[in-house]
Amino acid sequence: MPPTKLIVLQSLRLLLACAAVTGALGGLQGVTGQPLLTTTAQAQSVIRDIRVSGNRRVEPETVRSYLQFSVGDAYDAGKVDRSLKALFQTGLFSDVRIDRDGAGVLVTVVENPVIGQVAFEGNSEVDAAALTAEVQLKPRSVYTRARALADVQRILDVYRRQGRFAASVEPKLIQLDQNRVNLVFEINEGGATKVQKITFVGNRAFNDSQLRDIVSTTQSGLFDFLKGTNVYDPDRVNLDKELLRQYYLKNGYADVRVVAGNAELDRGGSGFFITYTIDEGELYTFGDVRIESALSSVKPEQLRGELLTITGKVYNASLIDKTIEKLTLQVSEQGYPFVRLRPRADRNEASRTIGIVYTIDEGQRVYIERINVAGNLRTKDYVIRREFRLVEGDAFNPLMVETAKKRLQGLGFFKTVEIKRRSGSAPDRVILDVEVLEQPTGELSFGAGYSTSEGVIGDVSITERNLLGNGQFLRLKLGGSFERFQVDLSFTEPRFLDRNIAAGFDLFHKDVNALSTSSYNSRRSGGSLRLGFPLAENIWITNNYTLSYDDIYEIDANTASFAVREAQGGALTSSIGTALTFDTRNNPRNPTRGVYLQGGVDFAGAGGDVQYTRLQAEGRAYYPITEQFTFVGRAIGGHIEGWGGQDVRLLDLFYKGGETIRGFNRSGVGPRDAVTGDALGGKTFWAATAEVRFPLPLIPDELGISGAVFADAGSVFGAGGGAQRVNNQCETRNRLLGVCLQDTSSIRSSIGASILWNSPLGPLRLDYAYALTKEDFDKTQVIRFGASTRF
């Protein structure tokens, strides 16, 4: 038979055999009710047993508890997959397998090791205790790779908060017996990533230099290793955005928006460039200011005296907050503790005025159950709580809480301040949670330069604004030059007796070489106590008591003036004084608008060897001619007079020169001995200045260099009794010399130009001045360079 036919016949026989078998099996269906093949497959898929292997510490029942199936269930691949995920999510195992084992299931696990110790290597900038507190993996906890990588990120975050964005961390394991490991984080700290440059976009009213004085972040520069604020910190950038916004709101720009604060790392990774984008809006003044009361017994006319927002004055958002606080307290004292006081702004864009209507009505009756403070690792609780005008049990007032938040931000102790409100134990109770993030408050600073009057000058100071977390101020400063050495220690408690009273003390020593101007050296050592408090908004009074020992020594008996020789020796001065200050400047460091007035009197003779009364006063005014040009006017004067039959000592008289009237040398104006040329000081002085400040063309604003033109005038006159005796001795000694004492009240004046620089070492100034009117015996100086005296 041909092969093809043979293959076909064999195939037919196979098909017939299969059909017969299928028919026979189908006959059994009448007994079981189902086909036999289906029943057998299901019987084989039922889980008869679950066994666990590979576990050492973890009990088998613990493993089984995470499974999504149990004995008796049908084997389900989906449940097996979910069981694998559940076991991995426990963090107890590094590997898990689930396999069929006959009629049972075998779960094979590899346990994660237990950590014996956690260590850090390579960390010098951050101590191990700080890193230990940050990481989540601890000794005797279970190690997982995911948790280790999460701790790596936490460590990197610590270093980034310190400006070290180049830091890297690698977790390493040291294997031990019994499935234990030691975990070591190997750290490469890298260099600190400093802020190379801070620029502003959209600012017209204030230049870059002025706004840099407002933000807490500083640019990298000379001696930047002594400062922590020139290290990039995202939290500090957010704080600076709010500081800028508040500054504009205080200076009339009600629509200001700080659109962005972007930080870009340079290609080399060595520094950040921070750019703040500002939308200033228009300058507004206060329009009509009114009070409306829904409480019958609260009369608006009786509250007018509490208003700080005055029609016609430049808009200031902070004055609105302070007015609300004053009105709230005043109405509360009249028997309305739940008063609700809301300001309503009526904006007139055409006249650029904002009218304010303060609406008074009854608020919701809610009490403060508790005030919690968190995040203050260093600052004491009471330093934070005293900024609240509310305590537990008081009526809850949202505006008072918001005012307390602004006070806390103004302390400069915290990067961020959040006050959250949550429900208390009853519907009429609330709990306030105050959450703060602290920032460094200490500073070590150096300064150096050159002055035409003193030569090389320098100083170093250590400052702590939150001493031991008590909110106290402490500064130790050493300064000197070729002709001066001084040490000052200053301490201030800003809330003496838990009141708005600033109390403190100063210790000082100053040694001055005045041989070139007055033929003597002098030194003054002592201390003072001071107590200051506000009388009203922008008005401050300070009282002080000073005890010092003043000494004139190392005079040249052959060349010194008779007045100097007569004054040689020391005396103890015990004096009390008071000063009154009125300040509306928009920026104390670099003002462009406002007024500063101060007057004071000192009375010496409360014990000691010296008796005099001294009066001094100063006034400054700042007016923006344009957005870039600022006019500055200044007037200053003083007079001293002895009492009880005493004359005024040489050291207590006024000595003035180029620091007051530019164009003249140090102690270059005033009474002088014609024979020796020694400056003898005067009982009375006055000076006036008119100055216009402006940016210099072609010089980038970020350099902090500006120019000024000025005109000065003033005089020093009224020699003391010792100088008068010089005149008598001179006439007796040699009448051919004429009058030896040269003393006149004539006006000295000068004009000139200046270059001002806000340098990394502090403000510096170069003055070129020409004396218009002077006396023949005055000492002039055309160019003066040195540390700037702000006015």
Side-chain angles (χ1 to χ4, degrees), residues 705-727:
I705 299 176
S706 58
V709 292
F710 60 84
D712 292 343
S715 184
V716 181
F717 56 92
Q724 295 292 342
R725 285 188 289 275
V726 170
N727 187 30

Side-chain angles (χ1 to χ4, degrees), residues 105-140:
V105 172
L106 176 62
V107 181
T108 305
V109 298
V110 178
E111 294 180 345
N112 277 319
V114 174
I115 297 175
Q117 294 180 350
V118 178
F120 306 92
E121 291 183 357
N123 56 308
S124 59
E125 295 296 325
V126 182
D127 59 35
L131 295 176
T132 300
E134 195 72 24
V135 299
Q136 299 298 311
L137 287 173
K138 307 291 183 183
R140 295 185 296 278

Side-chain angles (χ1 to χ4, degrees), residues 473-475 489-494 496 501-508 527-533 540-546 577-578:
F473 177 91
L474 180 68
R475 172 179 290 166
L489 176 67
S490 180
F491 171 84
T492 301
E493 167 56 68
F496 184 59
I501 299 174
F505 67 83
D506 302 288
L507 300 176
F508 53 82
S528 63
L529 302 174
R530 45 189 162 75
L531 189 74
F533 53 89
W540 188 271
I541 187 170
T542 303
N543 304 292
N544 66 80
Y545 169 76
T546 303
T578 186

Side-chain angles (χ1 to χ4, degrees), residues 258-320:
V258 182
V259 179
N262 297 322
E264 297 182 1
L265 190 63
D266 66 3
R267 293 182 179 178
S270 61
F272 277 92
F273 291 78
I274 301 178
T275 303
Y276 296 97
T277 304
I278 302 170
D279 181 6
E280 292 183 339
E282 299 296 334
L283 178 66
Y284 284 84
T285 58
F286 282 116
D288 185 37
V289 180
R290 294 180 290 116
I291 301 174
E292 294 179 356
S293 175
L295 306 177
S296 57
S297 60
V298 176
K299 306 301 181 183
E301 59 272 11
Q302 296 176 354
L303 299 174
R304 295 288 303 180
E306 303 297 325
L307 295 178
L308 301 176
T309 51
I310 309 300
T311 301
K313 297 293 185 181
V314 174
Y315 175 84
N316 186 335
S318 67
L319 293 182
I320 298 176

Side-chain angles (χ1 to χ4, degrees), residues 62-77:
T62 302
V63 176
R64 294 189 183 100
S65 68
Y66 288 99
L67 300 177
Q68 306 297 308
F69 55 83
S70 57
V71 174
D73 292 345
Y75 185 85
D76 187 331

Side-chain angles (χ1 to χ4, degrees), residues 456-498:
V456 177
I457 58 176
D459 64 71
V460 56
S461 65
I462 303 173
T463 304
E464 174 55 62
R465 294 179 288 110
N466 187 14
L467 183 63
L468 301 177
N470 293 316
Q472 299 162 335
F473 177 91
L474 180 68
R475 172 179 290 166
L476 174 63
K477 183 175 182 179
L478 288 80
S481 66
F482 290 145
E483 297 186 352
R484 171 181 54 87
F485 172 75
Q486 65 184 87
V487 181
D488 297 282
L489 176 67
S490 180
F491 171 84
T492 301
E493 167 56 68
R495 290 298 178 88
F496 184 59
L497 300 177
D498 286 332

Side-chain angles (χ1 to χ4, degrees), residues 406-597:
K406 291 179 179 179
R407 286 199 191 93
L408 289 172
Q409 291 172 331
L411 292 175
F413 301 163
F414 312 109
K415 289 183 183 177
T416 60
V417 178
E418 295 293 336
I419 301 180
K420 299 178 181 178
R421 172 187 174 186
R422 56 188 173 94
S423 301
S425 58
D428 62 344
R429 297 288 188 272
V430 296
I431 297 174
L432 300 180
D433 294 321
V434 184
E435 300 176 0
V436 300
L437 178 62
E438 294 180 316
Q439 65 179 357
T441 55
E443 180 179 319
L444 174 63
S445 63
F446 285 90
Y450 178 80
S451 168
T452 51
S453 60
E454 296 186 58
V456 177
I457 58 176
D459 64 71
V460 56
S461 65
I462 303 173
T463 304
E464 174 55 62
R465 294 179 288 110
N466 187 14
L467 183 63
L468 301 177
N470 293 316
Q472 299 162 335
F473 177 91
L474 180 68
R475 172 179 290 166
L476 174 63
K477 183 175 182 179
L478 288 80
S481 66
F482 290 145
E483 297 186 352
R484 171 181 54 87
F485 172 75
Q486 65 184 87
V487 181
D488 297 282
L489 176 67
S490 180
F491 171 84
T492 301
E493 167 56 68
R495 290 298 178 88
F496 184 59
L497 300 177
D498 286 332
R499 297 180 179 273
N500 194 15
I501 299 174
F505 67 83
D506 302 288
L507 300 176
F508 53 82
H509 172 78
K510 186 175 183 179
D511 203 318
V512 178
N513 182 343
L515 291 172
S516 61
T517 59
S518 300
S519 298
Y520 65 81
N521 289 339
S522 68
R523 55 185 164 223
R524 184 170 188 249
S525 304
S528 63
L529 302 174
R530 45 189 162 75
L531 189 74
F533 53 89
L535 294 178
E537 184 68 23
N538 301 322
I539 300 178
W540 188 271
I541 187 170
T542 303
N543 304 292
N544 66 80
Y545 169 76
T546 303
L547 182 66
S548 65
Y549 183 79
D550 306 324
D551 185 22
I552 290 179
Y553 69 102
E554 289 187 4
I555 67 170
D556 189 334
N558 297 321
T559 61
S561 170
F562 176 80
V564 173
R565 293 189 306 233
E566 186 183 57
Q568 185 176 9
L572 187 67
T573 302
S574 175
S575 67
I576 57 176
T578 186
L580 190 66
T581 304
F582 174 73
D583 190 356
T584 63
R585 293 173 297 171
N586 59 351
N587 182 351
R589 295 184 61 185
N590 201 355
T592 58
R593 179 186 292 108
V595 173
Y596 175 87
L597 303 173

